[in-house]
């Protein structure tokens, strides 16, 4: 057995659920819809990635929503759990809290590879944890990012390669169209809209009022609905 990587900085320990708490400053929130999907995934697969806990404070560093879902599934907080334990000061803890959930640090989905994975393993988009809106936005983002790149690539191809590349792009578009059709809602109407702010400060204030991180791209209706009730 090789030596443990020098950059591994946690230990697995079994702790009582009552000994760990959610960080009060945790900026991550979850919509009711996403909470249901998370709970469903945990019920089907169990907890397969440990909750990250800071030994010095007893705070959860990463895994607040999973822990909340486990509590609901267990219907008690009187249980033990194997967690990943680190030992850091509060500033480092807060930094890790955001870094461990920062989507911009985790890469983006390759829609072609995702479509192939779904086909190879006979999986539906909802089985991967995506909502209908997630799936639509994946397709839309891919179209925006790929159109210019595809045009540049085709311009550099030989005559023989152009036809092959056109066929490849046609197949991609066919896959995207199929994904759209599979994820339309039952009434066949759009279920999301783009909100454009007059400036960055307006967006910041809006997101702050909803208690949603500024970098979050998706805002669900139940996040905004409370504004109309206030």
């Amino acid at each position: 057995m090789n030596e443990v990587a020098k950059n591994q900085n946690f230990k697995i320990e079994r702790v009582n659920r009552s000994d760990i708490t959610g960080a009060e400053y945790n900026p991550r929130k979850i919509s009711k819809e996403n909470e249901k999907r998370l709970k469903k995934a945990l019920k089907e697969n169990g907890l397969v990635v440990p909750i990250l806990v800071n030994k010095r404070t007893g705070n959860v560093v990463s895994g607040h929503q999973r822990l909340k879902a486990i509590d609901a599934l267990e219907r008690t907080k009187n249980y033990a759990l194997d967690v990943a334990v680190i030992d850091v000061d509060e500033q480092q803890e807060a930094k890790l809290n955001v870094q461990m959930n920062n989507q911009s640090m985790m890469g983006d989905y390759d829609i072609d590879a995702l479509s192939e994975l779904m086909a190879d393993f006979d999986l539906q988009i909802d089985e991967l944890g995506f909502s209908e809106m997630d799936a639509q936005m994946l397709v839309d983002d891919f179209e925006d990012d790929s159109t210019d790149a595809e045009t540049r690539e085709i311009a550099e191809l030989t005559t023989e390669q152009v036809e092959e590349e056109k066929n490849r792009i046609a197949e991609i578009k066919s896959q995207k169209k199929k994904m759209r059709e599979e994820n339309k809602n039952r009434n066949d109407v759009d279920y999301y809209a783009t909100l454009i702010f007059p400036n960055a400060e307006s967006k910041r204030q809006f997101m702050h009022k909803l208690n949603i991180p500024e970098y979050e791209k998706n805002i669900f209706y139940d996040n905004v609905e409370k504004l109309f009730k206030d």
Side-chain angles (χ1 to χ4, degrees):
M1 179 66 68
N2 294 331
E3 292 185 4
V4 175
K6 294 179 181 179
N7 289 305
Q8 178 172 306
N9 194 29
F10 69 89
K11 294 182 180 179
I12 298 296
E13 295 182 12
R14 181 162 294 178
V15 301
N16 290 324
R17 167 64 182 89
S18 58
D19 291 335
I20 58 178
T21 58
E24 293 184 1
Y25 59 78
N26 178 43
R28 294 285 293 180
K29 305 298 177 182
I30 189 170
S31 69
K32 292 179 181 179
E33 178 189 350
N34 288 345
E35 188 174 15
K36 289 179 181 178
R37 288 190 282 125
L38 175 59
K39 193 182 298 183
K40 178 182 177 183
L42 285 169
K43 188 174 183 179
E44 291 177 351
N45 307 307
L47 181 67
V48 296
V49 177
I51 306 297
L52 182 62
V53 175
N54 186 10
K55 182 178 182 179
R56 295 191 199 181
T57 62
N59 283 341
V60 172
V61 181
S62 178
H64 288 80
Q65 311 306 339
R66 284 178 290 146
L67 186 60
K68 180 180 177 182
I70 294 169
D71 287 345
L73 292 172
E74 295 286 339
R75 298 184 179 180
T76 180
K77 292 186 180 181
N78 186 28
Y79 61 88
L81 196 65
D82 291 335
V83 300
V85 177
I86 58 175
D87 188 3
V88 298
D89 61 33
E90 291 184 89
Q91 183 185 46
Q92 185 72 5
E93 173 189 298
K95 182 168 70 172
L96 286 168
N97 176 289
V98 177
Q99 288 182 343
M100 296 296 292
N101 294 284
N102 189 337
Q103 297 300 315
S104 66
M105 293 175 62
M106 299 180 187
D108 299 312
Y109 285 103
D110 181 323
I111 195 68
D112 294 339
L114 182 60
S115 297
E116 290 178 8
L117 180 148
M118 291 170 61
D120 291 344
F121 293 95
D122 192 25
L123 294 169
Q124 300 301 313
I125 195 73
D126 61 325
E127 293 180 286
L128 301 179
F130 293 109
S131 67
E132 293 178 345
M133 185 174 74
D134 292 334
Q136 183 63 59
M137 294 188 74
L138 278 172
V139 173
D140 290 345
D141 287 345
F142 176 79
E143 287 181 335
D144 293 341
D145 294 340
S146 63
T147 300
D148 290 341
E150 289 172 351
T151 302
R152 289 194 300 270
E153 289 173 1
I154 291 179
E156 297 173 356
L157 296 176
T158 63
T159 303
E160 291 77 12
Q161 292 173 315
V162 168
E163 193 63 32
E164 181 179 345
E165 185 66 11
K166 285 183 178 179
N167 291 335
R168 185 187 72 81
I169 294 173
E171 177 62 25
I172 292 173
K173 290 182 178 179
S174 175
Q175 292 174 353
K176 291 187 290 186
K177 181 179 179 181
K178 182 179 179 181
M179 185 177 288
R180 280 200 199 91
E181 292 173 349
E182 289 177 349
N183 290 287
K184 281 183 178 179
N185 63 2
R186 294 180 179 178
N187 296 323
D188 195 29
V189 295
D190 289 339
Y191 44 85
Y192 72 93
T194 301
L195 178 63
I196 301 175
F197 297 91
N199 51 56
E201 179 61 20
S202 297
K203 177 187 174 184
R204 189 194 68 77
Q205 292 179 6
F206 180 80
M207 301 295 272
H208 179 72
K209 189 170 185 179
L210 293 179
N211 204 16
I212 297 175
E214 292 181 45
Y215 57 79
E216 186 65 64
K217 292 183 177 180
N218 300 331
I219 302 175
F220 292 91
Y221 178 73
D222 54 1
N223 296 133
V224 182
E225 186 179 19
K226 63 182 182 181
L227 293 179
F228 300 103
K229 295 181 179 179
D230 293 342

